[in-house]
Amino acid sequence: MTRAIRKIKKTLKAKPTLEGAGVRLKRVFGHPENPQFDPFLLMDDFHSDNPEDYLAGFPMHPHRGIETITYMVHGTVAHRDSMGNEGKIHGGDIQWMTAGSGIIHEEMPARSEPELWGFQLWANLPASHKMMPPRYQEIKSIEVPELSYQEGVTIKVISGEIDGIVGPVQDIVTDPAYLDVTVQAHMVSDLPVKTGHTCFVYVIGGEGLFAEDATEKISLETLVLFDEGDAIRVSSGDAPLRFLLISGKPIKEPVAWSGPIVMNTAAEIEAALKDYQNGTFIKR
Ligand code: CO
């Protein structure tokens, strides 16, 4: 089968940002890039070997209208929320939270390993699901299948499906695929992506080429957003390459965005802020 290899639409370098109660992290994309990443709203890369960069954490804050997916590479983040969930996620674990009609939670990185490294991705919810009941799930690293896609290419399937292997993060409304791909040196590989889905990669190790006739090497902490097609082509150089391959179905609705609350209209944002002030934010 001949595949239509996607071309590169644009590349972005993650930018240093201060978030939460004073966490130094890198924003891969966010509000200014909206709506190019529809259905995704934001992605952060928190990576540091200095606890002063992250111990302030993200104390209690609300979310409404979105889903967040946190994927840890190293270190520990403790979590607590208004639904009574409490837990710690460690390297390789995933936390998937549907804020829906409203959740209030805290996410606190802990001093556990020399290095803290993880990613948080925000997936938008369509109008029909913005006020759905909140839900929360933790997935342990051992539950994430690792696929040997071809010789020299291994893929941890976090969500979505490839070669019949289905990731454990399921039922996210925008049907995302979230793959952690490692490509050994001097390899070329075509990876399938659903037609019509927004697709990007984010390099987390080494460097590589990400299109058929690409000449510009894409390196650490750089994102590539792709045009249409049903596959991407990746080529590694002299060293192994590791990247996150993420795709999802665009929602194509108006976005009204205020910090951790993302709705369709300004009136819905106002109602959410009023709910928060009045102590009526949590609906279920
Ligand atoms: Co949060």
Side-chain angles (χ1 to χ4, degrees), residues 4-262:
I5 304 293
R6 289 183 183 231
K7 291 185 168 39
I8 293 174
K9 191 185 266 180
K10 70 187 290 184
T11 61
L12 274 181
K13 189 94 187 143
K15 291 184 205 73
T17 306
L18 204 59
E19 258 305 341
V23 176
R24 270 182 216 102
L25 51 75
K26 287 197 171 152
R27 175 131 312 151
V28 184
F29 62 89
H31 196 265
E33 287 77 30
N34 187 259
Q36 296 172 81
F37 289 88
D38 182 17
F40 305 110
L41 294 162
L42 175 148
M43 184 167 160
D44 282 341
D45 175 353
F46 43 100
H47 192 179
S48 172
D49 56 8
N50 178 4
E52 282 179 18
D53 284 346
Y54 58 78
L55 281 179
F58 305 87
M60 284 297 174
H61 59 277
H63 287 286
R64 178 179 284 178
I66 62 167
E67 300 187 88
T68 67
I69 302 123
T70 307
Y71 176 40
M72 298 297 295
V73 180
H74 296 295
T76 302
V77 172
H79 165 268
R80 219 153 47 95
D81 70 31
S82 51
M83 299 172 75
N85 299 302
E86 205 166 329
K88 280 185 177 151
I89 53 169
H90 307 280
D93 297 347
I94 299 139
Q95 180 204 82
W96 153 41
M97 190 269 291
T98 304
S101 58
I103 202 167
I104 297 176
H105 75 165
E106 129 185 311
E107 301 154 291
M108 302 302 284
R111 193 193 294 265
S112 68
E113 287 172 47
E115 188 182 26
L116 178 82
W117 192 14
F119 310 95
Q120 186 168 85
L121 178 70
W122 292 14
N124 203 1
L125 284 167
S128 57
H129 288 73
K130 286 218 177 269
M131 295 302 279
M132 70 186 281
R135 48 183 193 182
Y136 171 81
Q137 208 179 324
E138 256 176 42
I139 286 136
K140 296 292 170 200
S141 59
I142 196 161
E143 299 170 64
V144 178
E146 189 162 321
L147 164 71
S148 182
Y149 180 68
Q150 66 184 65
E151 203 187 328
V153 181
T154 52
I155 303 178
K156 286 188 195 175
V157 185
I158 295 163
S159 79
E161 182 263 321
I162 181 164
D163 268 9
I165 304 293
V166 179
V169 178
Q170 290 170 21
D171 299 326
I172 299 188
V173 176
T174 49
D175 187 26
Y178 193 137
L179 310 174
D180 178 351
V181 184
T182 300
V183 179
Q184 295 308 317
H186 305 294
M187 302 284 311
V188 180
S189 186
D190 288 353
L191 300 163
V193 177
K194 280 187 184 164
T195 307
H197 281 209
T198 300
C199 172
F200 66 89
V201 300
Y202 181 62
V203 176
I204 62 173
E207 55 182 22
L209 302 173
F210 287 92
E212 260 173 310
D213 38 22
T215 50
E216 187 201 348
K217 278 186 190 151
I218 308 294
S219 59
L220 200 62
E221 297 179 348
T222 306
L223 172 145
V224 178
L225 177 66
F226 293 96
D227 262 329
E228 256 315 321
D230 62 6
I232 63 157
R233 176 160 301 169
V234 46
S235 320
S236 55
D238 294 337
L241 164 68
R242 184 177 177 192
F243 58 92
L244 305 176
L245 169 54
I246 297 173
S247 60
K249 189 172 179 232
I251 293 174
K252 298 178 181 165
E253 287 178 4
V255 170
W257 187 336
S258 175
I261 299 164
V262 185

